[in-house]
Every structure is written in structure tokens, then in C-alpha cells.
Amino acid sequence: MRRHRGVLLYAALLAQLAAGPSPASATAPTGPGAPLPTSQCGVVRSGETPLGDAEVTLYQAGANGSGRPRVLARTRSTADGHFTLDHHRPDDPRAVLYVLAELPRPGGAPADGDRTAPHGPVTLAAVLSGADAPTELVVNERTTVAVAYALARFTGPDGISGPHPGLQNAAAIAHNLADTGTGGIAATLASPPNGPLTSTMAEFNTLANLLASCVTGDACDRLLDLARPPGRERPRDTLRAAVDIARTPDHNAAALFALAQTSRSYLPALPAAPAAWTVALRYDGNGHEIDGPGNIAFDADGNAWVTNNYRYGADPTVPVCGGRTVLKLTPTGHDAPGAPYRGGGLYGAGFGITLDARGTAWAGNFGFQGTGCPIDPAPLERSLSQFAPDGTPLSPPEGWRQGGIAQPQGMATDRAGTVWVANCGGGSVTRIPDGDAGRAREVPTPALRKPFDTAVDPVGRLWVTGNGNDTVQLLAPDGTLRQTVTGGGLRRPLAVATDSRGNAWVSNSGVLPVPCADTTPADLAAAATAATDDPATRPGASVTLIRPDGTPAPVPFTNGGLFLPWGIAVDGDDTVWVANFGGHRVARLCGTDLTACPPGFRTGQPISPPDTGYPSDGLDRNTGLRIDPSGNVWLANNWRTVPLQTNPGGHELVLLVGAAAPVPTPPRN
């Protein structure tokens, strides 16, 4: 009897060794106040097929770009794919946890728990944090694609790591793509304004099928070869392959689609190859609040503050008046507490929104409204509205009116806390030192007609576009004129952005007159309607680069899918992203840091496909474009594709998930 009991104990010990060590358990704190152990059950699957003998590891993501992930628990899946991970939950409530399931190389698992034996090319992944942990975690191709895209900019050779809040927000957004409790499509992706209304859900399934062609098929070498970015190392497994596809979405797009056809595990799938594998996710807040979103600004936590041109109305034939709310959406697309916010003189805010050093939000009241609205906008289009971080209005009921505010549009804030405003209807900019509206003063810009947008460069200088006379001006931090720039292809310029080296990038619509002063929204609509797919109908659509000394590049940059360029932003790698008021596409250009571009590229060369850009049927007429600290490109669906002037507003914000290098938000003072 004793011998039989000894055999059972020895067998249990071997089973524990085969499951592998749990480094977290070995070093877990003990005694009063120590975190209680937690068990996480799960299953590894490909489609409906269980994957046994996978090495399943639970990690805590690194806390910053150089921090290495920490192993919390490790085990192996049983023949039916199931596993249990016993671990101590980290003390940090912001910790990001994720699971990797690595399958052994063909020919069998490493024997006797030999962890030195190499894994195969199959690695599946799922994120645990960012949403409540499910009773049973499913790790499959869908959850892997969700991790690869949402965390594309935080996944490196050693695993996942990154700074707050970008890493945490990215983990939360992964749960908008895949449901880790079922392995299915997440509710956000499955439902309007996504779901059957766009092709993103089918594209997401096709990407999952692409990974399945390796997981349960024999296409691993082909997948890894096709996913390899130009000039970079070949990815070593399916997770890294999906990350590389997210980062270089147009590379081998058609060949990857053909490979995905070898698996039909996930449906519905795309019927034809996309121009690029960008994943576009639409947000509409509570579903009845967004109408004509104009522009976007991010706070220190990565929440999106958004201007709203119009009061919400679902029927475009019914006249709407100016929007009286400013939106604040969490990174996952939900209303922040108490949002949307009202008061403070808000009415028909346009392209102008910014946050100052204290985290207060400023919106410019342009006076947008649909035709047929009985309100006279003239008294309402000469003010700014200011809100505390919790949405409390700080401006009076009539808004801030000092400093010559007149049909305000683009706004920016410098590191010293100065707020700048372009007065499209006044031929000037307004300078507000330290965000103190009582000290606002008007800075005339006589060389600019219809000042439209502003951007601050790394040394605090202000760049301002003039849509009415193809001009850009450069002002010193105190408002003194430094340079007036013409030429370089400037033609109906709209937005401006600066890079880390002090260069200014200007989007040239070519034909779009902004609706201020003597121009109306109907004039803008007519110009937009006249522009067709024929480039001859949209001359001048381009991007101009202006060097820090005010010298424009002699020839503007075209192609990359530019089609009525409007919003523009520079990402953390200094590559340039451009929104378009037509064509349902986003353009991406190589910046001045050539190391961030494909090998052999030069400044201004299109990274996105030259003919189409990054297209998406989730896009309408886009104005604002901004990049958040998770690397998501946010776009404002400002107008419908066929706008009725009674209510032309679009109803969504669109994210290109994980498409860009993250842009850190400034810390709040």
C-alpha cells in the first residue's frame, strides 16, 4: 500500500514538472496582505479544433518600452485544448496581462517537459486585461489577430511592453475586436455602426483564416515569407506575422488574401483581396450624439475630445441647428462619465479643439448649422468654450469672446500653456497666454486670407495656414511674424502639422474653399461634389513640406491616395498621415526620418498604395485626423458622402487600429 502511494506521488510530481515551472509562484509574496492566488481556465483552439500540448504562458506586460514582460504562470494544454493557469495577480491595477499558446514543432512535443526544445511557428495570443477576465479564456486565431492589431506598436522580439496609457488602452481596444470568452467577434465589431455595415468584420475573419492556414494547415513557411516586411527579418511565428501585416498593411496584400482562401474556419470572409489590411473600427458613442464631428484632441489618459458641428439628427432631410455638445469618448468608444458636455457657449463647433497644460479642453464656436435652422448664427460664431477635465464648463454662457475671435477654426497649445486660435472669419489669430482667457489678444495676420489651422513646432513657434490665398505664416512664440511662405504647391491649404525636427507639413485640398467669411457650406459642398475620381477635377491635391527655416520643398508630394486632403498628422516615427474629404481613404507618406520608411524610400514618397491609399468603406468625408498614444489613427466622418445641406453631418469616428507609431500625450500639470 505504501509503495502504491509512493508511485502516485511520484506520478503527480512528474505531471507537475511536465506542466513546467511557474516563476510567479516561486517568487510570489506570502504572509498578511499578499495577493490571493488566482486560477484562470481556458482552451486553445483553431476554429472548432482543440489544440493539445500547447505551451501556455501567462505574462505581465513590461511597464515601459524597455521593460521585459514577466512570466506569471505556465502550463500545457491537454488533448482537448484545456488548461489552467494558477498565478498571483499583480498589485498594479493597470497591469496588462496576456497569454501566449505556443505549439511544438511538427513531430511531437518536447519530451519530459524539456523546455529547451524549440517551438514551432504557431503562436496564438489573447489579452486578459482591459475587460473582465472570462470564466474560460479562449485562445484562437481571432484573439491573436486582435492582439496583433491593437498591440501592434507594443509587441517586440521579447514580448509586449509599453508606457501608460497607450499600452493599457491598446489592451482594452483588443476586446472591441475579439471576445476572449467565446473566441468570436466582439460585440463592438459585430454590431452597427460596424458589423454588416462595413467590410471590417469580414476582413477580420479573413485575417484569422490566414493564420489558420498555418495553425492547422501546411502554409506556415508561405505565411511567414509573405508577412516579412521589406528589409526586415522574417517573423518567427503566427503572432509576429500578424503584427508585421498590421504594420505594413499593403505589403503582399493580394498574395496574403490568396493564402487565406485555404482555410474557411471563420465566416463571413472577404470575397476579394483588399488594397491594404488596415482594420477600420467605427465608434458612434451612444448612437444618437455624433453629428458632423470636426476634429479630435486627446487628453493625458488617451480619451478623445471631439467637436460636433450639428445637433444630432438621424434624418438628413430634417434641418438641424448647431451642435451644443462637446464629445469625450474613452479609447474603447464609450462616453466618458457625464459626456457629452454642454454649456459654456457651445454652438456649432468646427475644426478647432485643443487641450491645455492643465487638461482643460477648448473648442471654437464656428456657428455651423444646417440650412433651414431658424437661429441666426452671427452672434454665436465669435467665442470659445472651455471645459474642465470632468466636463464642467469654465467659460460663461456666452463663451469667451476676448481677443478678436471670429469664426474660429484650428487651435493648438504650446508647452508653455499658450492657446492659439485661427480666426477664419477675421484674418487673425488669437493668443491666450497660460490658457487665461482674460489675457487673450488678437494677433493680425494681414498676409493670410481665411486663416484655417494652426500647429506648434518643437521650439514653440506657430504655423498658420491661409486657405483663401495659398499662404502659410510662421509666428514666434510671442506672436511676432517670422516668415510668410508661398509656393511649394500651396493650393487651398487646410491643415498643418509639425514633426520632431521642426518641419511643417501642409495638406493642400487643391479646390476646397473653407466656409467662412464670404464662403458658405454650400460652396464647399459644390467643390467637393465636382471632384471625381478623375485627377483632373481635383488639381493641386497634395502635401507641401516646409523646412524649419520657412523654405518650402520646390515640388509638393502627390499620390498615396490623396483625394481632397484635409486633416494631417505626424506619428511617433515622423511619418505623415492625411485624411481626405473624398475618396474614402487615408494617405500615408514617408517623412524626413527615412529609417522609419521602407528601404529605398525618400521623403514624401507614398507608403500607402499610390492609387488608392488605405481605403475603407467605413469612411465618409473626413476632416480631422489624429494619432493616439496607442498608435490608432482616429478620423472624423464629418460629412456624409452625399451631403444634404439640411443635415450633412456624418455620425462616426473611425479608428485604423494600431496603424501608426504612437504619439504620447503631454502630461497634465
Side-chain angles (χ1 to χ4, degrees), residues 35 73 81 106 113 303 309 342 354 386 399 409 452 513 545 549-550 577 593:
N303 300 301
N309 291 178
R342 296 170 172 81
T354 190
Q386 183 186 10
Q409 287 283 25
F452 183 74
L545 167 64
D549 65 358
W577 295 78
D593 182 0

Side-chain angles (χ1 to χ4, degrees), residues 198-224:
T198 76
S199 61
T200 300
M201 183 170 65
E203 179 190 11
F204 187 78
N205 280 333
T206 306
L207 286 164
N209 286 333
L210 179 61
L211 300 191
S213 71
C214 168
V215 176
T216 55
D218 57 1
C220 292
D221 284 338
R222 180 69 172 155
L223 169 63
L224 302 184

Side-chain angles (χ1 to χ4, degrees), residues 78 160 234:
T78 57
I160 295 174
R234 183 180 191 252

Side-chain angles (χ1 to χ4, degrees), residues 303-400:
N303 300 301
W305 292 74
V306 187
T307 55
N308 219 19
N309 291 178
Y310 310 103
R311 182 176 180 180
Y312 177 82
D315 187 346
T317 66
V318 176
V320 292
C321 293
R324 293 186 181 271
T325 60
V326 64
L327 310 171
K328 181 183 178 182
L329 298 183
T330 68
T332 55
H334 300 94
D335 280 337
Y341 306 130
R342 296 170 172 81
L346 268 174
Y347 189 81
F351 197 66
I353 188 164
T354 190
L355 278 90
D356 64 23
R358 296 187 299 273
T360 64
W362 297 74
N365 296 309
F366 182 82
F368 274 111
Q369 58 186 35
T371 57
C373 171
I375 295 176
D376 178 9
L380 304 171
E381 62 188 23
R382 295 180 176 273
S383 70
L384 306 177
S385 296
Q386 183 186 10
F387 294 86
D390 66 357
T392 302
L394 301 177
S395 48
E398 66 276 10
W400 298 122

Side-chain angles (χ1 to χ4, degrees), residues 565-636:
W566 195 302
I568 193 167
V570 178
D571 70 14
D573 285 340
D574 272 355
T575 62
V576 181
W577 295 78
V578 189
N580 291 279
F581 201 61
H584 308 279
R585 62 189 67 176
V586 179
R588 183 186 180 197
L589 307 180
C590 178
T592 55
D593 182 0
L594 302 185
T595 64
C597 305
F601 272 50
R602 61 189 183 277
T603 296
Q605 185 171 345
I607 297 175
S608 53
D611 294 332
T612 65
Y614 296 142
S616 171
D617 56 6
L619 298 173
D620 285 325
R621 293 189 180 274
N622 299 120
T623 51
L625 180 151
R626 290 290 185 267
I627 298 163
D628 71 12
S630 299
N632 303 301
V633 179
W634 291 62
L635 297 114

Side-chain angles (χ1 to χ4, degrees), residues 375-442:
I375 295 176
D376 178 9
L380 304 171
E381 62 188 23
R382 295 180 176 273
S383 70
L384 306 177
S385 296
Q386 183 186 10
F387 294 86
D390 66 357
T392 302
L394 301 177
S395 48
E398 66 276 10
W400 298 122
R401 292 178 173 266
Q402 299 91 329
I405 299 296
Q407 291 186 310
Q409 287 283 25
M411 302 174 67
T413 306
D414 65 21
R415 293 180 182 178
T418 300
V419 176
W420 294 91
V421 188
N423 295 307
C424 191
S428 65
V429 297
T430 298
R431 182 177 184 269
I432 308 175
D434 301 318
D436 181 355
R439 298 166 58 195
R441 72 177 178 91
E442 185 175 11

